[in-house]
Amino acid sequence: MHYTGPVIRPPYEAGSVMLEVTVGCTHDSCTFCTYYKGHPFHPAPLEQVRADLAEIARFRPGTDHIWAAGGDPFSMSTRRLLELAALVHEYLPGATISTYARVDSMRNKSADDLRALCDAGYTDIMIGIESGDDEVLAHVNKGYTAADVVEQCGKLDEAGLPYNCIYLGGIAGAGRAEETAARSAEVFNQIRPRFMYLTTVTIFPDSELGAEVARGDFAPMSELERFREFRALVAALENPIVVDTRLVTNSIGFVAELPADREECLAALDEAIAGFSEDDERRLSRRRAMMRTI
């Protein structure tokens, strides 16, 4: 198998076969991210993909799902993605394909294109939306706006292509937990992801955001504020969705199916917030400072 640089995937894909289809990220400019530095974006050669699929078919016959690895494979053209799906099915008939996408990965695709990709086996596309707050998106240089989120994810909804998303708490900075959650909920309530990871940013010193912190230009949220941001977001989400915080970057873990589990979830968060102490803040802040990777 061929892999170049870090192989990143959502936790729920831990048991999936990882197939490299691209290297690096098309954007690679988010100020909090250091994953793909030194690995310029390019598609993996189809000959390499074919060789890896032959190896999978030999050693993992019956594989029915593939994680197409890379920072932003869904940015490739519809033609290339359909070509890739045909190649996967040549070796693994009927296998479904999941992968990462950016919000702007859909800009070069119509709803009909996305429907064709869904029919070809693409499912559970994971989009790192991060936030629906335009001030935050601009500050961390995501490369798109809240309006873009609604427009591009709306095409996925129209096409019936299932997708999941990531919300990255903490990137609004100190003092903005409830405000940024409310702005983001306004955006998420206009789209229909099935599942959302609620995670929080860990700021590494070698990131651009880390340099801002070192200069005193950005004040990170406290651990308590991160709890409050989650609480505000869960309270404001209206469409049916599963939210999951069981990630190493979080100091509180839960999974909730909204709206059914909303009141139970909010009660648990309220209890955690009410009992949060200065010792908790120091302990959890030390834990985050010790993280070297996520």
Side-chain angles (χ1 to χ4, degrees):
M1 300 296 291
H2 298 81
Y3 300 108
T4 308
V7 180
I8 312 297
R9 46 83 182 152
Y12 62 67
E13 294 282 355
S16 300
V17 174
M18 306 286 140
L19 175 70
E20 181 175 274
V21 300
T22 64
V23 174
C25 175
T26 53
H27 186 61
D28 196 23
S29 298
C30 300
T31 63
F32 56 82
C33 182
T34 59
Y35 284 151
Y36 303 106
K37 302 302 180 187
H39 299 284
F41 179 83
H42 63 272
L46 286 179
E47 296 78 10
Q48 173 187 307
V49 176
R50 180 180 290 278
D52 286 347
L53 284 167
E55 187 171 343
I56 295 167
R58 179 183 176 190
F59 291 101
R60 291 280 296 270
T63 293
D64 60 3
H65 180 72
I66 288 288
W67 174 257
D72 182 19
F74 212 64
S75 66
M76 292 190 292
S77 69
T78 300
R79 180 192 59 79
R80 176 73 176 216
L81 289 167
L82 290 173
E83 194 174 29
L84 176 64
L87 191 56
V88 168
H89 295 145
E90 180 181 335
Y91 289 88
L92 306 169
T96 57
I97 306 165
S98 295
T99 193
Y100 277 129
R102 282 176 43 85
V103 167
D104 51 13
S105 298
M106 279 69 73
R107 281 181 178 153
N108 65 343
K109 299 173 181 67
S110 67
D112 286 342
D113 290 333
L114 295 169
R115 197 172 292 113
L117 291 169
C118 184
D119 291 343
Y122 287 91
T123 186
D124 287 332
I125 305 303
M126 174 56 82
I127 309 172
I129 295 176
E130 325 298 12
S131 176
D133 184 335
D134 275 333
E135 290 183 25
V136 171
L137 292 171
H139 177 238
V140 300
N141 195 28
K142 280 302 296 183
Y144 52 78
T145 66
D148 293 328
V149 174
V150 175
E151 179 182 2
Q152 301 305 324
C153 291
K155 290 195 292 189
L156 290 169
D157 293 328
E158 181 183 349
L161 199 163
Y163 65 102
N164 306 319
C165 63
I166 300 168
Y167 178 87
L168 185 58
I171 53 174
R176 296 200 60 224
E178 286 89 351
E179 176 188 2
T180 198
R183 290 184 181 182
S184 296
E186 289 179 3
V187 172
F188 285 111
N189 288 339
Q190 298 177 66
I191 61 176
R192 294 273 179 174
R194 302 193 305 180
F195 176 94
M196 180 190 295
Y197 273 125
L198 303 184
T199 187
T200 57
V201 67
T202 295
I203 303 173
F204 296 114
D206 56 343
S207 68
E208 292 182 41
L209 196 56
E212 287 188 41
V213 172
R215 294 194 304 267
D217 295 335
F218 181 80
M221 278 191 195
S222 68
E223 296 298 319
L224 178 56
E225 285 181 295
R226 295 167 193 249
F227 281 33
R228 288 176 172 155
E229 185 175 3
F230 280 177
R231 201 249 181 239
L233 187 66
V234 168
L237 291 174
E238 297 174 356
N239 294 332
I241 192 170
V242 174
V243 295
D244 191 344
T245 73
R246 298 171 300 176
L247 297 156
V248 69
T249 57
N250 292 334
S251 300
I252 187 168
F254 62 85
V255 58
E257 184 176 347
L258 303 180
D261 299 335
R262 188 191 318 277
E263 296 309 315
E264 181 181 355
C265 184
L266 292 178
L269 284 164
D270 286 339
E271 182 178 359
I273 290 168
F276 202 90
S277 67
E278 291 183 4
D279 283 345
D280 290 328
E281 184 67 47
R282 285 191 290 268
R283 174 176 55 83
L284 295 176
S285 295
R286 282 198 302 269
R287 172 181 173 273
R288 188 173 301 281
M290 292 173 64
M291 290 183 184
R292 293 296 176 265
T293 182
I294 56 172

